[in-house]
Amino acid sequence: ELKVEQNPLFLSMQEGKNYTIYCNYSTTSDRLYWYRQDPGKSLESLFVLLSNGAVKQEGRLMASLDTKARLSTLHITAAVHDLSATYFCAVDLGTGNQFYFGTGTSLTVIP
Amino acid sequence: DAGVTQSPTHLIKTRGQHVTLRCSPISGHKSVSWYQQVLGQGPQFIFQYYEKEERGRGNFPDRFSARQFPNYSSELNVNALLLGDSALYLCASSPRFSEQYFGPGTRLTVT
Protein backbone atom coordinates (compact mmCIF):
# COMPACT_ATOMS: atom_id res chain seq x y z
CA GLU A 1 0.00 0.00 0.00
CA LEU A 2 1.32 3.40 -0.99
CA LYS A 3 2.05 5.71 1.91
CA VAL A 4 2.57 9.43 1.51
CA GLU A 5 3.85 11.25 4.55
CA GLN A 6 4.37 14.93 5.09
CA ASN A 7 6.23 16.71 7.81
CA PRO A 8 5.70 18.73 9.70
CA LEU A 9 1.95 18.33 10.15
CA PHE A 10 1.68 21.77 11.70
CA LEU A 11 3.96 24.72 11.06
CA SER A 12 3.81 28.12 12.67
CA MET A 13 6.32 30.60 11.33
CA GLN A 14 6.97 34.30 11.46
CA GLU A 15 6.68 36.52 8.45
CA GLY A 16 9.94 36.86 6.62
CA LYS A 17 11.31 33.48 7.66
CA ASN A 18 12.16 30.51 5.44
CA TYR A 19 11.05 26.93 5.90
CA THR A 20 10.74 23.61 4.06
CA ILE A 21 7.90 21.10 4.00
CA TYR A 22 8.86 17.50 3.21
CA CYS A 23 6.86 14.85 1.37
CA ASN A 24 8.03 11.24 1.46
CA TYR A 25 6.36 8.42 -0.43
CA SER A 26 6.80 4.69 -0.25
CA THR A 27 6.81 3.49 -3.86
CA THR A 28 8.28 4.41 -7.21
CA SER A 29 6.68 7.37 -8.94
CA ASP A 30 7.90 10.25 -11.07
CA ARG A 31 4.69 12.25 -10.89
CA LEU A 32 4.13 14.45 -7.89
CA TYR A 33 1.78 17.37 -7.35
CA TRP A 34 1.46 20.07 -4.73
CA TYR A 35 -1.88 21.61 -3.80
CA ARG A 36 -3.01 24.36 -1.48
CA GLN A 37 -6.27 24.28 0.45
CA ASP A 38 -7.79 27.19 2.31
CA PRO A 39 -10.27 26.44 5.12
CA GLY A 40 -13.59 25.22 3.76
CA LYS A 41 -12.35 25.45 0.18
CA SER A 42 -11.29 23.07 -2.53
CA LEU A 43 -7.78 22.27 -3.73
CA GLU A 44 -5.75 24.74 -5.76
CA SER A 45 -2.95 23.36 -7.92
CA LEU A 46 0.47 24.80 -7.14
CA PHE A 47 3.09 22.64 -8.86
CA VAL A 48 3.34 19.69 -11.22
CA LEU A 49 6.60 17.73 -11.00
CA LEU A 50 6.97 15.05 -13.66
CA SER A 51 10.59 13.93 -13.59
CA ASN A 52 13.53 13.31 -11.31
CA GLY A 53 15.28 16.58 -10.48
CA ALA A 54 12.31 18.72 -11.48
CA VAL A 55 12.25 22.11 -9.82
CA LYS A 56 9.43 24.63 -10.13
CA GLN A 57 9.12 28.08 -8.59
CA GLU A 58 6.22 30.45 -8.23
CA GLY A 59 6.60 33.56 -6.12
CA ARG A 60 7.77 32.64 -2.63
CA LEU A 61 7.26 28.89 -3.17
CA MET A 62 9.65 26.43 -4.78
CA ALA A 63 9.06 22.70 -5.20
CA SER A 64 11.50 19.95 -6.10
CA LEU A 65 11.37 16.22 -6.74
CA ASP A 66 13.97 13.51 -6.06
CA THR A 67 12.45 10.27 -7.34
CA LYS A 68 15.40 8.16 -6.20
CA ALA A 69 14.97 9.30 -2.62
CA ARG A 70 11.16 9.30 -3.07
CA LEU A 71 11.15 12.80 -1.66
CA SER A 72 9.65 16.12 -2.64
CA THR A 73 10.16 19.43 -0.88
CA LEU A 74 8.17 22.64 -0.82
CA HIS A 75 10.37 25.55 0.20
CA ILE A 76 8.90 28.78 1.48
CA THR A 77 11.00 31.91 1.20
CA ALA A 78 10.29 35.05 3.25
CA ALA A 79 6.85 33.90 4.33
CA VAL A 80 3.90 36.28 4.25
CA HIS A 81 0.51 35.96 5.95
CA ASP A 82 -1.25 35.16 2.65
CA LEU A 83 0.60 31.85 2.52
CA SER A 84 -1.32 30.56 5.56
CA ALA A 85 -3.16 27.44 4.35
CA THR A 86 -2.91 23.65 4.32
CA TYR A 87 -0.50 22.22 1.77
CA PHE A 88 -0.83 18.73 0.34
CA CYS A 89 1.47 16.69 -1.82
CA ALA A 90 -0.06 13.99 -4.01
CA VAL A 91 1.58 11.07 -5.78
CA ASP A 92 0.31 9.58 -9.02
CA LEU A 93 1.35 5.97 -9.54
CA GLY A 94 1.07 6.43 -13.27
CA THR A 95 -1.96 4.20 -13.66
CA GLY A 96 -4.21 7.16 -14.31
CA ASN A 97 -5.66 10.03 -12.38
CA GLN A 98 -5.55 8.19 -9.06
CA PHE A 99 -3.78 10.49 -6.67
CA TYR A 100 -2.60 9.47 -3.23
CA PHE A 101 -2.45 12.47 -0.96
CA GLY A 102 -0.18 13.18 1.95
CA THR A 103 -1.37 13.97 5.42
CA GLY A 104 -1.18 17.71 4.79
CA THR A 105 0.83 20.48 6.44
CA SER A 106 -1.13 23.24 8.12
CA LEU A 107 0.89 26.43 7.78
CA THR A 108 0.23 29.54 9.85
CA VAL A 109 2.29 32.64 9.16
CA ILE A 110 2.37 35.02 12.10
CA PRO A 111 2.79 38.76 11.46
CA ASP B 1 -13.66 28.97 -19.13
CA ALA B 2 -15.84 27.30 -16.55
CA GLY B 3 -14.07 25.11 -14.05
CA VAL B 4 -15.24 21.85 -12.56
CA THR B 5 -18.71 22.22 -11.10
CA GLN B 6 -20.34 20.07 -8.44
CA SER B 7 -23.83 19.88 -7.04
CA PRO B 8 -25.21 20.20 -4.51
CA THR B 9 -22.90 22.37 -2.44
CA HIS B 10 -24.14 21.09 0.88
CA LEU B 11 -26.28 18.12 1.80
CA ILE B 12 -27.67 16.74 5.04
CA LYS B 13 -28.84 13.13 5.12
CA THR B 14 -29.91 10.62 7.72
CA ARG B 15 -28.17 7.31 8.40
CA GLY B 16 -29.37 4.61 6.06
CA GLN B 17 -30.40 6.98 3.30
CA HIS B 18 -28.97 7.16 -0.19
CA VAL B 19 -27.22 10.15 -1.80
CA THR B 20 -26.24 11.14 -5.34
CA LEU B 21 -23.54 13.72 -5.98
CA ARG B 22 -22.96 15.25 -9.40
CA CYS B 23 -19.94 16.59 -11.21
CA SER B 24 -19.42 18.38 -14.52
CA PRO B 25 -15.82 18.39 -15.76
CA ILE B 26 -14.02 21.16 -17.56
CA SER B 27 -15.01 21.21 -21.20
CA GLY B 28 -12.84 18.79 -23.17
CA HIS B 29 -11.75 16.80 -20.13
CA LYS B 30 -12.58 13.11 -20.42
CA SER B 31 -11.25 11.87 -17.08
CA VAL B 32 -13.16 12.34 -13.84
CA SER B 33 -11.98 11.22 -10.42
CA TRP B 34 -13.77 11.27 -7.07
CA TYR B 35 -12.17 11.82 -3.68
CA GLN B 36 -13.42 11.81 -0.10
CA GLN B 37 -11.89 14.26 2.35
CA VAL B 38 -12.71 13.74 5.99
CA LEU B 39 -12.15 16.78 8.18
CA GLY B 40 -8.50 17.18 9.07
CA GLN B 41 -7.23 14.59 6.58
CA GLY B 42 -5.99 14.48 3.02
CA PRO B 43 -8.33 13.48 0.20
CA GLN B 44 -8.73 9.75 -0.41
CA PHE B 45 -9.21 8.34 -3.88
CA ILE B 46 -12.60 6.69 -4.51
CA PHE B 47 -13.06 6.24 -8.28
CA GLN B 48 -11.62 7.26 -11.60
CA TYR B 49 -13.48 7.21 -14.91
CA TYR B 50 -12.10 7.80 -18.36
CA GLU B 51 -14.18 7.70 -21.52
CA LYS B 52 -17.12 6.37 -19.49
CA GLU B 53 -15.19 3.36 -18.20
CA GLU B 54 -14.07 2.77 -14.64
CA ARG B 55 -10.29 2.87 -14.61
CA GLY B 56 -9.65 2.69 -10.91
CA ARG B 57 -11.28 2.13 -7.56
CA GLY B 58 -9.95 2.98 -4.15
CA ASN B 59 -10.43 1.10 -0.91
CA PHE B 60 -14.09 1.92 -0.37
CA PRO B 61 -17.02 -0.45 0.30
CA ASP B 62 -19.51 -1.49 -2.35
CA ARG B 63 -21.96 1.06 -0.97
CA PHE B 64 -20.04 3.53 -3.09
CA SER B 65 -20.64 3.49 -6.84
CA ALA B 66 -20.21 5.90 -9.70
CA ARG B 67 -20.75 6.31 -13.39
CA GLN B 68 -19.77 8.64 -16.20
CA PHE B 69 -22.15 9.81 -18.87
CA PRO B 70 -21.57 10.37 -22.61
CA ASN B 71 -21.04 14.10 -21.97
CA TYR B 72 -18.32 13.10 -19.43
CA SER B 73 -20.26 14.35 -16.42
CA SER B 74 -20.32 11.95 -13.51
CA GLU B 75 -22.37 10.83 -10.55
CA LEU B 76 -21.20 9.38 -7.25
CA ASN B 77 -23.76 7.32 -5.37
CA VAL B 78 -23.55 6.23 -1.77
CA ASN B 79 -26.07 3.80 -0.30
CA ALA B 80 -26.92 3.02 3.31
CA LEU B 81 -25.19 6.11 4.62
CA LEU B 82 -23.16 5.89 7.80
CA LEU B 83 -22.08 8.67 10.13
CA GLY B 84 -18.52 8.09 8.91
CA ASP B 85 -19.50 9.05 5.39
CA SER B 86 -19.71 12.67 6.49
CA ALA B 87 -17.02 14.43 4.48
CA LEU B 88 -16.21 16.80 1.66
CA TYR B 89 -16.55 14.96 -1.64
CA LEU B 90 -14.30 16.32 -4.34
CA CYS B 91 -14.50 15.76 -8.05
CA ALA B 92 -11.48 16.35 -10.28
CA SER B 93 -11.20 16.41 -14.05
CA SER B 94 -8.26 16.01 -16.38
CA PRO B 95 -7.73 15.98 -20.15
CA ARG B 96 -6.27 12.50 -19.88
CA PHE B 97 -3.72 11.24 -17.35
CA SER B 98 -2.14 14.38 -16.06
CA GLU B 99 -2.75 17.30 -13.75
CA GLN B 100 -6.15 17.23 -12.11
CA TYR B 101 -8.38 20.24 -11.55
CA PHE B 102 -10.62 20.05 -8.53
CA GLY B 103 -14.18 21.27 -8.14
CA PRO B 104 -15.49 23.15 -5.10
CA GLY B 105 -16.75 19.96 -3.49
CA THR B 106 -19.98 18.77 -1.92
CA ARG B 107 -20.10 18.79 1.85
CA LEU B 108 -22.14 15.83 3.06
CA THR B 109 -23.33 15.62 6.64
CA VAL B 110 -24.90 12.37 7.85
CA THR B 111 -26.91 12.59 11.07
Side-chain angles (χ1 to χ4, degrees):
Chain A
E1 179 185 335
L2 171 62
K3 291 186 179 179
V4 184
E5 296 181 339
Q6 289 179 235
N7 69 83
L9 296 183
F10 299 94
L11 175 57
S12 179
M13 55 190 300
Q14 286 188 316
E15 280 190 333
K17 298 293 186 181
N18 305 332
Y19 207 83
T20 300
I21 298 171
Y22 297 88
C23 172
N24 293 272
Y25 53 98
S26 62
T27 194
T28 302
S29 174
D30 57 2
R31 295 170 178 254
L32 191 133
Y33 304 81
W34 283 94
Y35 288 88
R36 167 182 172 145
Q37 188 175 40
D38 291 297
K41 304 291 186 181
S42 187
L43 298 169
E44 173 190 353
S45 178
L46 293 175
F47 298 108
V48 178
L49 304 169
L50 299 179
S51 62
N52 184 41
V55 178
K56 297 278 185 75
Q57 182 163 6
E58 180 71 34
R60 301 174 186 274
L61 301 177
M62 183 175 70
S64 65
L65 177 62
D66 181 343
T67 59
K68 295 180 180 178
R70 299 177 185 174
L71 171 70
S72 180
T73 61
L74 180 67
H75 186 73
I76 302 159
T77 301
V80 294
H81 181 67
D82 286 351
L83 290 179
S84 297
T86 298
Y87 293 85
F88 291 98
C89 61
V91 176
D92 180 356
L93 293 181
T95 57
N97 294 129
Q98 302 170 25
F99 286 9
Y100 291 83
F101 282 81
T103 45
T105 296
S106 176
L107 170 65
T108 302
V109 180
I110 304 169
Chain B
D1 285 342
V4 178
T5 59
Q6 293 185 243
S7 63
T9 305
H10 296 88
L11 202 53
I12 300 175
K13 289 286 190 177
T14 305
R15 277 176 295 176
Q17 286 187 317
H18 162 270
V19 68
T20 297
L21 311 181
R22 295 177 175 84
C23 171
S24 292
I26 292 171
S27 178
H29 287 193
K30 299 181 179 180
S31 173
V32 170
S33 299
W34 287 95
Y35 294 83
Q36 180 197 64
Q37 187 178 22
V38 173
L39 191 64
Q41 299 182 16
Q44 279 199 293
F45 169 71
I46 310 176
F47 285 110
Q48 190 237 337
Y49 278 79
Y50 179 73
E51 287 279 21
K52 294 159 285 184
E53 290 188 6
E54 181 183 305
R55 295 299 184 100
R57 171 186 287 252
N59 188 23
F60 280 81
D62 292 343
R63 300 185 295 107
F64 289 76
S65 63
R67 55 180 175 168
Q68 186 177 33
F69 299 99
N71 66 353
Y72 304 111
S73 67
S74 178
E75 282 183 355
L76 175 70
N77 295 283
V78 186
N79 292 323
L81 286 166
L82 302 174
L83 293 179
D85 295 331
S86 295
L88 179 67
Y89 288 84
L90 295 164
C91 171
S93 78
S94 175
R96 202 172 185 276
F97 304 133
S98 59
E99 182 179 6
Q100 294 190 75
Y101 299 85
F102 283 82
T106 294
R107 185 160 299 281
L108 172 64
T109 301
V110 182
T111 62

